[in-house]
Amino acid sequence: MVKAYLRYEPALTFGVIASPEPNVAYDPSGRRLLAAALDRLAAWDLKRGLPSVSFAPSSSSLSLAVSCIASSPSAAVSSSIASGHADGSIRLWDAETGACEATLHGHRSAASALRFGPSGAVLASGSKDCDVILWDVVAQAGLFRLRGHRDQVTDLVFLDSGKKLVSCSKDKFIRVWDLETQHCLQIVGGHRSEIWSMDVDPSERFLVSGSADPELQVFRIRQSVEEGEDWSKWDVLKLFGEIPRQSKERVANVRFNRDGSLVVCQVAGKTAGIYRVLDETEAARKAKRRVNRKKEKASAKSMNAEENGTIIDPLPAQNLQNPTVIVTDVFKLFQVLRASKKICSIAFSPSNPPRGCLATLSLSLNNNMLETYSVDSEKVSKMYSVEMHGHRSDIRSVSLNSEDNLLMSTSHNAVKIWNPSTGECLRTIDSGYGLCSAFVGNRFALVGTQSGTLEIVDIASGSLTEAIEAHAGSIRSIVPIPDEDGTVGARGFVTGSADHDVKFWEYRLVQKSDNDSKQLTVTNVRTLKMTEDVLAVSISPEGKHIAVALLDCHVKVYHMDTLKPSLNLYGHKLPVLCMDISSDGALLVTGSADKNLKIWGMDFGDCHRSIFAHSDSVMDVKFVYRTHYMFSVGKDRTVKYWDADKFELLLTLEGHHAEVWCLTISSRGDFIVTGSHDRSIRRWDRTEEQLFIEEEKEKRLEETFEADLENDNEYRYGQKDDAPDEGSVGVPGRKTKETVTSADAIMDALDTAEEELKRINQHKMEEQINAKAAKFQPNVIMQGHSPSDYVLNVVSSIRPNDLEQALLALPFSDALKVMSYLKEWSLVPSKVELVCRVCLVLLQTHHNQLTATPAARSLLAELKDILYCRVKECKDTIGFNLAAMDHIKELLAMRSDAPFRDAKAKLMEIKQELLKRSGRLDGDEKRKNKRKKASAQS
């Protein structure tokens, strides 16, 4: 009989506030800050410091890290948030519900830049594959691909109400694209190094770009060519000047605020320079002052020269009334923001700033924090900080208490206590660099640090009660000693250190004063001296044996009572980093830096099996209680589930984005918790779904085959063929498993419909021959639809983004069959747009064959007349509906209960009336008081 196991699946991820690579952005409302946390997004309420909405992908795409974020300027479109991912896919999200509306596939490598158009209906994306793709957000489909850059696209901005797009790249060039004609208008050079960011002010006067050069480049944007201006015919951008920077580090982000009065230049370090952008009047005034100062200096020099008898060249004549405005007259360094850690990304709030402030600025730091600053005329001051929900560095150890309702994690400077069910942080305690940890009951905890200090933590009060200098080297293991009745940690615990010592400790409760509660302290009772550094320690459940892993790749087993040697296990080629003993004391498993797991018998020390477990070092291994099933984690970012009796791999759990350092298993084995270098803590729950070893093997082979096939068909890191033509346009989509499946579905539907048509014609012939022929029985697969409707339903069910690639995969014979149905499909009013799209793709793909096929000419002639009329009808209907909506809008505006169109002006009028009334009342009171005084004097 085939043995079945229960599957473990990802359940909860917490501990990450903001990933260092992606940018941060505000949502369309401007009230919440969007930050990427590895493979998901969170919208943070900065005042409360809590996530209000979580944007989580499906379980099948957990390993795809978010690489960039964009928020729509208009909340009218439902899909108002977009995220780019490491595989090049782009996801559209609903800002209110957090639901994924669509997944768009087009790029061959990680998306690096996203920007919504002014209306929010168009999205532009740039990638490491050097391409720019325009997407229709409403139709959830690609429009076209723009090729021309020779390196990664780093930023995008829209100009001229979304009619033009500007892209910058690591190839040191800025390109301006006309989206109506789909070609490159202008290529702008000038940068001497890779361009990392750019932005345009809301009034579209200036475009600022930043690179590793010691200055920012400012371009003027042509809005209308006036007389006397030396603009080229096609130029959109013209260099205005350069702004010198203070920092020597490269520019990471350049962003304008909502009204364009400020621009921030964030470098790849701890600082961000904030520049004031003066309007035309202020800039002209500053230019006049500059010219006057220059003139005064020149006159002073000329007077000195006359006295000395020397001759100096006169200054060039300048118009003092209208002097030429240069870039330093417009841009002025205003403030410098200095953060505590390296700044990863920065974003201005689009909402109104608090009273007395010019703008609100939010930034993400590389130590897993979010900070918000207010910018005023005098200083930059911190307003909010989000830091409690994660560690500042990687997670080095995790442990559960005996009831599995508290989780402890350690990092380089803090210990955090979590609720493992919800992921909520309950306590944060400052500590040393914790490498290992263990609970003592539910009130106290022990932490072993890198400096050799043993720290005792009071969980209830959230404080560090005592720090004991336990070892001269780093403490690598803390293992509770089980009691004879199986109570874990009742008798004490054992520590193993790099100072070659294994120390045995006992607990003591001490009351320092009558008013204080009892505090835990520990006493060293025994010490076992070793010859090498101790890397791991494990104790058998009945407390009879202790196993010690040493730096010389050996594992030594001792009797607990006498500390006499029992077994010496050797066979690993590199040091053993972790080990565990099964709950029945029969098996010992060791994990090593040589990537292998070895399973040993505790009776005679024989090696049952050596398994090549991970593609990098094995960092931790644990048995599930009362079983011989075990989990292992490694530097290859995976968690693996094993059967130690059959020596079989049961399951591979993927989700972490960096090395997995530690794991812990609940007492019932119903969930496990892992901690990683990516600062995330993940909980994996056991489900009721069964898994079988053979099925899992087949699934892994299929995944390997599909991955190899995809790598052969698509280039993961950009194009390996010749460089693209200057400003060329390509198909936006990309061949994926979904598009291949969709193409197969269309071909199956065409074959089924063709067979059904043959059966219908055959039945008609039989009826003509024999009037008493049997009743026609339609095909059950078609679910009562006609052949044409059945094919139409299949084509309509394909996602809009996959439709083009699915049609490209059809052979010419099947494309002809699809075109034969288009005439009938065009009669359905709701399918006219789909019919036109299908017809256009097939014509572009098979144009030469269609024109050379006599049977297709009559079909094309009919479609030309029919589709033109149907599209005209749809346009007339849309125009009629728009006119009706405008009329309804005017009727609503004419009503007295309609919303104020200019509420601010109304409010000012009311305030002025109140002030006038209060002034009249004050005047009346003064007159009355004068009369009273006069009567009193008389």
Side-chain angles (χ1 to χ4, degrees):
M1 186 175 178
V2 179
K3 188 174 182 179
Y5 304 85
L6 294 179
R7 185 181 298 275
Y8 284 79
E9 290 186 350
L12 186 65
T13 303
F14 52 96
V16 181
I17 299 171
S19 300
E21 291 84 10
N23 62 305
V24 292
Y26 277 87
D27 71 343
S29 67
R31 299 190 304 268
R32 298 171 298 190
L33 183 68
L34 299 169
L38 301 178
D39 48 24
R40 60 194 64 215
L41 302 175
W44 291 89
D45 187 333
L46 297 173
K47 290 184 180 179
R48 296 188 301 151
L50 296 172
S52 55
V53 183
S54 179
F55 305 87
S58 61
S59 58
S60 61
S61 56
L62 277 175
S63 60
L64 301 177
V66 178
S67 55
C68 51
I69 308 170
S71 177
S72 172
S74 171
V77 182
S78 62
S79 302
S80 53
I81 293 173
S83 63
H85 294 259
D87 66 338
S89 63
I90 295 164
R91 289 180 173 80
L92 303 177
W93 306 87
D94 190 301
E96 298 301 324
T97 63
C100 184
E101 300 286 336
T103 302
L104 309 174
H105 295 282
H107 292 293
R108 292 183 293 275
S109 56
S112 55
L114 288 175
R115 188 74 69 121
F116 276 94
S119 64
V122 176
L123 175 69
S125 65
S127 169
K128 290 183 178 179
D129 62 7
C130 315
D131 292 347
V132 178
I133 300 180
L134 272 293
W135 306 92
D136 187 337
V137 176
V138 179
Q140 299 176 358
L143 297 175
F144 48 85
R145 183 190 300 265
L146 300 173
R147 291 195 175 111
H149 283 295
R150 298 294 198 275
D151 208 335
Q152 173 186 335
V153 179
T154 53
D155 212 345
L156 302 161
V157 290
F158 282 91
L159 297 178
D160 194 12
S161 302
K163 295 178 183 177
K164 295 181 178 65
L165 179 71
V166 184
S167 61
C168 65
S169 168
K170 286 186 179 181
D171 62 6
K172 309 176 188 178
F173 291 106
I174 296 173
R175 287 178 176 265
V176 184
W177 308 86
D178 189 325
L179 300 183
E180 292 180 342
T181 58
Q182 301 177 14
H183 77 282
C184 184
L185 286 175
Q186 184 183 2
I187 302 174
V188 182
H191 282 284
R192 298 184 297 278
S193 58
E194 299 171 341
I195 306 173
W196 287 94
S197 183
M198 66 178 176
D199 200 17
V200 62
D201 67 319
S203 59
E204 294 189 3
R205 289 192 303 153
F206 305 108
L207 183 141
V208 181
S209 62
S211 65
D213 301 341
E215 61 276 325
L216 295 173
Q217 289 201 357
V218 182
F219 298 90
R220 288 180 59 196
I221 301 171
R222 180 172 67 172
Q223 295 172 339
S224 61
V225 179
E226 298 178 0
E227 292 183 5
E229 292 188 356
D230 55 345
W231 286 89
S232 174
K233 182 179 179 182
W234 300 109
D235 283 356
V236 178
L237 302 178
K238 181 182 177 183
L239 184 63
F240 184 42
E242 295 178 344
I243 309 172
R245 297 193 295 116
Q246 291 184 339
S247 176
K248 295 181 180 179
E249 295 165 317
R250 71 166 179 86
V251 173
N253 278 299
V254 176
R255 289 293 177 265
F256 280 90
N257 69 332
R258 62 190 296 268
D259 59 358
S261 61
L262 297 175
V263 60
V264 62
C265 170
Q266 174 231 326
V267 300
K270 297 181 181 180
T271 61
I274 302 172
Y275 295 83
R276 188 73 181 266
V277 184
L278 304 180
D279 58 20
E280 293 179 358
T281 306
E282 292 176 336
R285 196 179 299 126
K286 188 177 178 183
K288 283 182 182 179
R289 290 198 299 268
R290 175 176 50 81
V291 172
N292 288 332
R293 283 196 303 270
K294 207 169 185 181
K295 186 179 179 183
E296 290 172 1
K297 289 181 181 179
S299 62
K301 282 184 180 180
S302 62
M303 290 175 64
N304 293 332
E306 287 176 2
E307 292 175 359
N308 298 330
T310 57
I311 301 172
I312 61 171
D313 296 331
L315 287 173
Q318 292 193 31
N319 188 355
L320 296 179
Q321 296 299 323
N322 296 307
T324 303
V325 177
I326 61 175
V327 67
T328 53
D329 297 331
V330 182
F331 293 86
K332 180 180 70 172
L333 183 62
F334 183 57
Q335 299 282 356
V336 177
L337 188 154
R338 289 180 172 85
S340 58
K341 293 290 181 180
K342 182 181 177 182
I343 304 173
C344 296
S345 180
I346 205 160
F348 274 111
S349 172
S351 58
N352 292 323
R355 184 176 296 178
C357 295
L358 298 174
T360 304
L361 192 64
S362 292
L363 48 92
S364 65
L365 304 179
N366 72 338
N367 65 340
N368 200 23
M369 280 179 62
L370 294 174
E371 291 182 346
T372 303
Y373 291 82
S374 62
V375 182
D376 56 30
S377 56
E378 296 180 356
K379 61 179 181 178
V380 179
S381 53
K382 187 190 291 187
M383 295 173 63
Y384 314 113
S385 177
V386 180
E387 57 183 331
M388 190 184 74
H389 301 274
H391 283 284
R392 305 283 75 80
S393 65
D394 53 342
I395 315 295
R396 295 312 303 249
S397 74
V398 288
S399 55
L400 288 163
N401 68 340
S402 57
E403 297 177 3
D404 298 332
N405 58 2
L406 291 177
L407 172 71
M408 177 168 55
S409 61
T410 64
S411 68
H412 84 289
N413 65 347
V415 174
K416 285 185 178 287
I417 308 297
W418 308 82
N419 182 345
S421 301
T422 61
E424 181 184 359
C425 182
L426 306 176
R427 295 281 189 276
T428 300
I429 305 116
D430 292 336
S431 72
Y433 198 142
L435 297 179
C436 52
S437 59
F439 276 94
V440 181
N442 291 328
R443 185 182 168 189
F444 298 102
L446 302 169
V447 178
T449 66
Q450 193 176 38
S451 62
T453 305
L454 183 64
E455 298 178 341
I456 302 175
V457 176
D458 189 336
I459 297 171
S461 63
S463 61
L464 185 67
T465 60
E466 189 177 4
I468 302 167
E469 296 296 332
H471 289 273
S474 58
I475 301 175
R476 304 285 175 79
S477 288
I478 296 178
V479 184
I481 301 173
D483 208 346
E484 293 178 357
D485 59 355
T487 307
V488 177
R491 293 163 54 187
F493 63 97
V494 177
T495 58
S497 169
D499 64 357
H500 304 184
D501 287 350
V502 177
K503 292 188 177 182
F504 295 76
W505 305 81
E506 286 185 354
Y507 305 123
R508 282 193 305 121
L509 289 174
V510 177
Q511 189 171 7
K512 295 183 179 179
S513 64
D514 296 336
N515 297 328
D516 295 340
S517 59
K518 290 184 177 180
Q519 295 294 331
L520 180 72
T521 184
V522 296
T523 306
N524 182 20
V525 292
R526 283 194 298 176
T527 301
L528 177 62
K529 296 286 186 179
M530 308 302 295
T531 57
E532 296 283 345
D533 291 8
V534 178
L535 300 182
V537 176
S538 186
I539 300 175
S540 61
E542 70 280 2
K544 291 182 179 180
H545 296 93
I546 178 171
V548 182
L550 302 177
L551 191 62
D552 61 0
C553 310
H554 286 209
V555 176
K556 296 183 181 295
V557 183
Y558 296 87
H559 295 283
M560 278 285 289
D561 49 0
T562 62
L563 296 184
K564 290 184 177 180
S566 173
L567 298 170
N568 185 16
L569 310 178
Y570 55 90
H572 282 290
K573 296 181 176 63
L574 290 174
V576 174
L577 303 177
C578 54
M579 60 182 172
D580 194 26
I581 299 174
S582 61
S583 55
D584 59 0
L587 297 178
L588 169 71
V589 61
T590 56
S592 168
D594 62 9
K595 311 173 188 178
N596 290 325
L597 286 174
K598 287 185 183 289
I599 301 169
W600 313 81
M602 287 293 288
D603 293 336
F604 307 104
D606 55 323
C607 182
H608 292 184
R609 184 65 63 92
S610 180
I611 305 170
F612 182 76
H614 291 265
S615 58
D616 209 331
S617 301
V618 183
M619 300 309 300
D620 207 352
V621 63
K622 290 280 191 302
F623 275 103
V624 179
Y625 186 59
R626 290 184 178 175
T627 68
H628 283 179
Y629 307 147
M630 59 186 183
F631 283 92
S632 65
V633 297
K635 283 187 177 180
D636 61 355
R637 309 180 181 187
T638 60
V639 182
K640 295 193 175 183
Y641 185 30
W642 306 86
D643 186 340
D645 290 331
K646 293 189 173 182
F647 318 116
E648 290 282 358
L649 174 63
L650 304 179
L651 196 61
T652 300
L653 301 172
E654 295 180 347
H656 282 290
H657 295 258
E659 299 91 337
V660 188
W661 296 125
C662 50
L663 84 127
T664 184
I665 305 177
S666 66
S667 57
R668 297 190 301 272
D670 54 344
F671 69 91
I672 70 167
V673 179
T674 55
S676 169
H677 187 75
D678 61 13
R679 299 171 186 162
S680 70
I681 301 172
R682 292 181 182 263
R683 196 187 83 220
W684 316 79
D685 286 359
R686 185 173 63 198
T687 63
E688 296 301 319
E689 181 186 354
Q690 292 184 339
L691 68 90
F692 301 94
I693 293 176
E694 293 301 323
E695 289 183 1
E696 292 301 314
K697 285 182 180 178
E698 291 177 5
K699 193 182 295 184
R700 287 194 291 270
L701 286 172
E702 288 176 2
E703 289 175 356
T704 305
F705 175 74
E706 288 175 356
D708 293 340
L709 187 65
E710 187 175 347
N711 288 337
D712 290 340
N713 292 335
E714 299 288 343
Y715 299 126
R716 186 173 294 276
Y717 301 106
Q719 293 174 312
K720 295 184 180 179
D721 53 354
D722 295 335
D725 297 332
E726 285 294 327
S728 62
V729 181
V731 179
R734 172 171 79 90
K735 186 178 180 181
T736 61
K737 288 187 288 185
E738 290 79 7
T739 59
V740 174
T741 305
S742 301
D744 291 339
I746 294 175
M747 288 188 280
D748 291 342
L750 290 171
D751 293 340
T752 305
E754 188 176 7
E755 291 176 3
E756 186 70 3
L757 284 172
K758 288 179 181 178
R759 289 181 63 236
I760 291 171
N761 294 331
Q762 186 178 358
H763 184 264
K764 287 180 180 178
M765 291 176 62
E766 290 177 358
E767 279 187 338
Q768 291 175 358
I769 297 171
N770 185 8
K772 295 182 180 180
K775 187 179 179 181
F776 179 74
Q777 296 294 329
N779 193 342
V780 181
I781 298 174
M782 302 182 69
Q783 300 176 354
H785 295 292
S786 65
S788 175
D789 291 344
Y790 176 67
V791 179
L792 177 60
N793 288 338
V794 172
V795 174
S796 302
S797 64
I798 299 171
R799 293 189 306 182
N801 186 48
D802 297 336
L803 180 61
E804 189 170 2
Q805 288 293 325
L807 292 172
L808 288 174
L810 294 178
F812 178 67
S813 58
D814 288 330
L816 270 180
K817 294 177 185 176
V818 172
M819 294 194 74
S820 66
Y821 290 112
L822 294 180
K823 181 180 177 182
E824 190 173 346
W825 293 352
S826 63
L827 300 176
V828 184
S830 61
K831 301 296 181 183
V832 173
E833 183 182 356
L834 176 67
V835 170
C836 292
R837 192 174 171 208
V838 170
C839 184
L840 182 63
V841 172
L842 294 178
L843 277 173
Q844 289 176 338
T845 308
H846 304 286
H847 178 266
N848 294 333
Q849 290 169 292
L850 285 170
T851 52
T853 305
R857 293 175 188 171
S858 59
L859 179 63
L860 292 174
E862 290 179 7
L863 284 175
K864 178 183 175 183
D865 298 332
I866 294 170
L867 290 180
Y868 180 80
C869 295
R870 298 300 295 161
V871 170
K872 189 175 182 303
E873 289 175 9
C874 287
K875 286 180 70 177
D876 292 342
T877 305
I878 292 169
F880 180 82
N881 290 337
L882 287 172
M885 285 191 286
D886 289 338
H887 181 63
I888 293 170
K889 187 178 178 182
E890 290 177 3
L891 291 176
L892 289 172
M894 288 164 57
R895 289 186 182 179
S896 60
D897 58 344
F900 290 117
R901 280 177 288 180
D902 194 358
K904 190 175 180 181
K906 286 278 185 185
L907 188 62
M908 293 299 293
E909 288 177 10
I910 294 167
K911 283 183 178 179
Q912 287 175 0
E913 288 179 6
L914 291 173
L915 287 171
K916 287 178 182 178
R917 287 182 188 175
S918 62
R920 287 173 195 159
L921 291 173
D922 291 341
D924 294 340
E925 287 180 359
K926 287 178 181 178
R927 283 191 290 273
K928 285 179 182 178
N929 291 332
K930 285 181 181 179
R931 287 170 189 167
K932 286 180 182 178
K933 286 180 182 178
S935 61
Q937 288 174 0
S938 62

